[in-house]
Amino acid sequence: MKKVRIVALLILSSGIMHSLYGQDPSFSQFFSSPLNINPALTANINADWRAISNMRNQWQGPASPYKTGTISFDSKVFQRKLANIEDKNFMGMGAMMMYDYAMSGTVKSTYASLNLSYNILLAEEEGFFKHRLAVGFGAIYGRRHIEFDRLNFQEQFTGFGFNTNLPTGEVALSNMKPYISSSAGITYSFSTENSNLDIGVAGFHLNRPKQTFLEDPLQHLPLRKVAHANFETYINDRVFLNTNMIFQYQFAANYFSAGGALGYDIGTEQRTNVYAGVWWWSKNALIPYFGLAYKDFQVGVSYDFTTSKLAQANIKPKTWELALILRGVKGPSKIVPCPWK
């Protein structure tokens, strides 16, 4: 019986986001968290630098919600500081901090990552046709912690309630030791004066670090494989289209998400754009999105309309996300607006 309780607790505590296989945190607005998708996307921006904050509140209502948040910063480095001159090749550096809370904060996961990328110009043709290739590498520090004093165990039941000062009787449980894992990725980009295409693949936890609450030497963090693509183009002088897709596979958990948004340039001197679109998360949700960009600042809001069996619950689950992006622009240029670049 004791082993059954231990296994049940571990299943609940190790299900980061919504998977029983310890899946890494994911966002509905995945395109607004590029450092979490591919280290090669570091500094792949229409600016000198970019700062992003993501906040996700998942399944609020029928159960204790999952809460996930990030803050990241990436920048091009070692550039020539000359106006209207773009370096053919450049290096990028980026860092990200992430937290993921489950079971009302009883299970807490924290991550810190550092990325390096190098972006090279493969070919440049007349008419502003550019082919670029980027490679990136990252290191991730992770830690998962359970606050056992917030849980009740059978041995603590006194007949009139639970006394948390009594021993739990679950001596096999312990908090997970921190780990360091590695990531790598590559992207190909093709751009013209009016459109842009990025395609990439990446792998996370390449070194398979150990992750266990039971000191099991055979329990390792599974490799996360990612494939992604995005396409942006002008439809006319003021209307533009942004599309994104991602496929992610980690052990027996995988998901596919795709969608797009239309943007409209209001036409003011302050470079104000509005976005509206929808994304589909396979077997999970339909996700309307609204965004507003003003000068170098952008905000994106989305809400998940659940399409899985959870939608049949008496209390409907509520999931929303907020993404804030701030860019530092070197100078005005003819670029295709993109929600995350």
Side-chain angles (χ1 to χ4, degrees):
M1 185 67 180
K2 183 180 294 185
K3 291 183 179 180
V4 172
R5 292 198 304 273
I6 293 175
V7 172
L9 176 62
L10 288 179
I11 290 177
L12 290 173
S13 62
S14 63
I16 288 184
M17 295 301 290
H18 54 269
S19 170
L20 298 183
Y21 297 100
Q23 186 177 354
D24 287 351
S26 301
F27 291 94
S28 297
Q29 297 182 48
F30 58 89
F31 46 86
S32 293
S33 185
L35 272 63
N36 193 41
I37 295 176
N38 191 337
L41 291 175
T42 303
N44 184 7
I45 49 180
N46 296 324
D48 283 342
W49 56 266
R50 168 182 59 188
I52 301 178
S53 178
N54 308 95
M55 289 160 280
R56 177 178 176 87
N57 193 333
Q58 179 175 332
W59 293 353
Q60 186 177 6
S64 300
Y66 296 91
K67 294 184 178 180
T68 308
T70 72
I71 184 169
S72 66
F73 179 85
D74 59 330
S75 174
K76 299 174 182 177
V77 296
F78 307 127
Q79 293 187 100
R80 293 173 293 176
K81 299 301 180 180
L82 299 175
N84 300 320
I85 295 181
E86 181 182 2
D87 287 331
K88 292 184 177 181
N89 306 330
F90 61 86
M91 181 178 291
M93 295 184 64
M96 182 178 69
M97 300 287 292
M98 176 185 290
Y99 69 85
D100 185 55
Y101 295 167
M103 296 175 63
S104 298
T106 302
V107 182
K108 298 181 178 180
S109 302
T110 53
Y111 310 87
S113 64
L114 180 65
N115 291 347
L116 291 174
S117 68
Y118 193 70
N119 194 302
I120 61 175
L121 180 64
L122 297 176
E124 185 174 9
E125 306 170 20
E126 294 183 1
F128 197 71
F129 289 86
K130 292 184 178 180
H131 303 264
R132 307 192 69 94
L133 186 71
V135 294
F137 303 92
I140 305 167
Y141 171 87
R143 180 177 181 269
R144 192 178 300 177
H145 174 77
I146 296 180
E147 295 187 358
F148 292 106
D149 57 348
R150 299 180 60 179
L151 300 174
N152 296 323
F153 297 83
Q154 179 178 334
E155 287 79 0
Q156 297 173 323
F157 185 68
T158 63
F160 301 96
F162 290 89
N163 183 354
T164 57
N165 294 319
L166 296 176
T168 66
E170 309 293 355
V171 295
L173 289 173
S174 64
N175 273 305
M176 185 180 299
K177 295 180 180 179
Y179 64 84
I180 295 178
S181 70
S182 57
S183 61
I186 186 170
T187 63
Y188 164 77
S189 302
F190 173 74
S191 60
T192 69
E193 188 176 5
N194 295 312
S195 62
N196 176 79
L197 171 69
D198 298 286
I199 302 174
V201 293
F204 291 79
H205 313 307
L206 300 176
N207 58 325
R208 300 285 310 282
K210 186 170 74 171
Q211 181 181 240
T212 174
F213 286 104
L214 296 174
E215 300 299 328
D216 182 357
L218 300 179
Q219 191 171 5
H220 295 271
L221 192 61
L223 177 67
R224 174 160 64 101
K225 305 172 185 178
V226 183
H228 61 90
N230 61 273
F231 176 71
E232 302 84 40
T233 186
Y234 274 99
I235 296 177
N236 57 42
D237 290 342
R238 289 198 174 183
V239 179
F240 40 89
L241 173 68
N242 304 114
T243 60
N244 303 80
M245 64 76 62
I246 186 173
F247 176 77
Q248 182 169 288
Y249 180 88
Q250 189 172 16
F251 194 42
N254 64 82
Y255 83 93
F256 172 80
S257 182
L262 286 175
Y264 180 75
D265 183 356
I266 296 179
T268 64
E269 295 181 357
Q270 286 76 24
R271 300 195 310 274
T272 304
N273 301 327
V274 293
Y275 301 87
V278 63
W279 271 258
W280 173 68
W281 187 328
S282 61
K283 302 179 182 179
N284 185 23
L286 195 66
I287 308 158
Y289 167 85
F290 176 78
L292 173 65
Y294 176 75
K295 293 184 177 180
D296 301 326
F297 176 75
Q298 182 170 324
V299 58
V301 180
S302 63
Y303 183 86
D304 290 19
F305 285 96
T306 303
T307 58
S308 67
K309 292 182 179 179
L310 281 176
Q312 302 173 8
N314 292 329
I315 303 178
K316 305 301 181 183
K318 300 178 179 65
T319 301
W320 59 267
E321 273 187 25
L322 176 67
L324 305 175
I325 303 176
L326 180 65
R327 304 172 179 87
V329 180
K330 179 167 59 175
S333 60
K334 177 66 174 179
I335 59 176
V336 183
C338 178
W340 56 271
K341 283 191 175 182

